[in-house]
Amino acid sequence: GAVVSQHPSWVICKSGTSVKIECRSLDFQATTMFWYRQFPKQSLMLMATSNEGSKATYEQGVEKDKFLINHASLTLSTLTVTSAHPEDSSFYICSAPRRRDTEAFFGQGTRLTVV
Amino acid sequence: DQQVKQNSPSLSVQEGRISILNCDYTNSMFDYFLWYKKYPAEGPTFLISISSIKDKNEDGRFTVFLNKSAKHLSLHIVPSQPGDSAVYFCAAKGASMEYGNKLVFGAGTILRVKS
C-alpha cells in the first residue's frame, strides 16, 4: 500500500488564487520531504527540500515566495502555490525517504491547472 | 547541465522479449542508482536499485547492471509484459552531505510492450 499520500490528486483554480497541496508520510516519520514538478514529456525536476522544523531549501531558479513550503510535523509537508498563473500549471509530486529504506517513496502527484 | 541522461525517449518491444533501458551519468559522486516506473498522472513507483559497489542487482524479471568506468547503467526486463508499458526513470544520488537524500532524475524512457 501507499506509504506517502498526496492530496488533492487534481485541482483547477483561477489565476491569482493560491492552492495548497499536502504530502503525508503514512507509517513513518519523515524529517525531510522533497517536492518535484514535472512538465509534459519532461523529467521530474526537484523544486525544494522540505525540512521538519526549519526552512525549506529551494533549488536554483525556484521562487521561494511563490512556492511556500511548510513542514510542520514529522508526517506532513505542504506546498502552497501562491498567486497562481497559467504557467504554474503542472504535475507536482512529493517524496519522502523512509529511514530504513534507501529508495524514496512518492506521493500520487497533484495535477494543477490554473485557468 | 543534465547529470543523468536517458538518451532514448521511447522503446517498443514485443511481449516476451527483453527490454533494455539505458542511462548515463556524469557526476562521479553519485553512488546509488535507482529505477522508477511511472504511469500518467501517478507518482513514480520504485522498481530496483544498485549501489556503486556492485555491478549487478536482480529482482525477478528486473535486472540492473552498472558499469562505473563508463558511468552507465541499464535496466533489463525479461520477459517483457504489456503491463510493463510505462515511463521509466533512472535516478541517482550521492553519498556526501551536499547531496543529502536528493534524487537526480533522467528525462525518462517510454516503454511500450506490444502483445
Side-chain angles (χ1 to χ4, degrees):
Chain A
V3 296
V4 175
S5 177
Q6 190 172 337
H7 178 81
S9 55
W10 61 270
V11 58
I12 301 173
C13 72
K14 288 186 177 179
S15 194
T17 62
S18 295
V19 173
K20 182 186 284 188
I21 303 169
E22 293 186 348
C23 181
R24 294 180 186 274
S25 56
L26 297 182
D27 62 353
F28 66 101
Q29 295 180 331
T31 55
T32 303
M33 291 186 179
F34 300 95
W35 287 96
Y36 294 84
R37 181 175 181 176
Q38 184 186 26
F39 291 101
K41 299 182 180 179
Q42 292 191 26
S43 184
L44 294 138
M45 300 302 298
L46 180 64
M47 298 174 64
T49 303
S50 174
N51 304 300
E52 189 271 332
S54 64
K55 289 183 181 179
T57 307
Y58 290 82
E59 296 299 303
Q60 194 173 11
V62 178
E63 299 175 61
K64 58 180 70 175
D65 295 329
K66 173 82 174 168
F67 299 99
L68 299 179
I69 290 173
N70 187 333
H71 197 145
S73 77
L74 286 169
T75 59
L76 175 64
S77 174
T78 60
L79 168 68
T80 302
V81 183
T82 63
S83 187
H85 290 285
E87 57 265 30
D88 298 324
S89 299
S90 191
F91 192 61
Y92 294 86
I93 312 174
C94 69
S95 80
R98 190 164 59 181
R99 201 166 292 167
R100 67 175 185 272
D101 297 310
T102 47
E103 73 273 19
F105 293 91
F106 285 82
Q108 305 94 318
T110 298
R111 168 70 60 194
L112 170 63
T113 302
V114 184
V115 297
Chain B
D1 175 31
Q2 264 194 299
Q3 298 186 68
V4 178
K5 301 176 185 177
Q6 292 176 258
N7 292 318
S8 296
S10 65
L11 174 68
S12 189
V13 171
Q14 197 66 36
E15 181 180 7
R17 306 295 291 268
I18 185 171
S19 296
I20 301 176
L21 299 116
N22 293 304
C23 178
D24 298 292
Y25 62 97
T26 58
N27 192 333
S28 56
M29 296 302 292
F30 289 145
D31 69 342
Y32 202 80
F33 305 89
L34 308 92
W35 284 94
Y36 284 85
K37 178 180 179 180
K38 185 181 180 300
Y39 294 112
E42 292 184 14
T45 53
F46 170 75
L47 270 179
I48 192 169
S49 61
I50 188 166
S51 163
S52 61
I53 62 173
K54 294 186 174 182
D55 55 19
K56 177 183 175 181
N57 188 25
E58 191 173 352
D59 183 2
R61 296 186 298 116
F62 303 93
T63 304
V64 55
F65 295 92
L66 175 63
N67 182 333
K68 277 185 65 178
S69 60
K71 293 191 176 70
H72 176 84
L73 62 153
S74 60
L75 173 67
H76 292 211
I77 306 173
V78 57
S80 302
Q81 299 172 354
D84 295 329
S85 298
V87 180
Y88 288 78
F89 288 98
C90 170
K93 61 179 178 178
S96 72
M97 287 301 292
E98 176 189 353
Y99 292 96
N101 255 326
K102 291 183 191 179
L103 290 175
V104 179
F105 284 86
T109 297
I110 300 171
L111 173 66
R112 294 187 188 92
V113 180
K114 298 176 287 187
S115 55

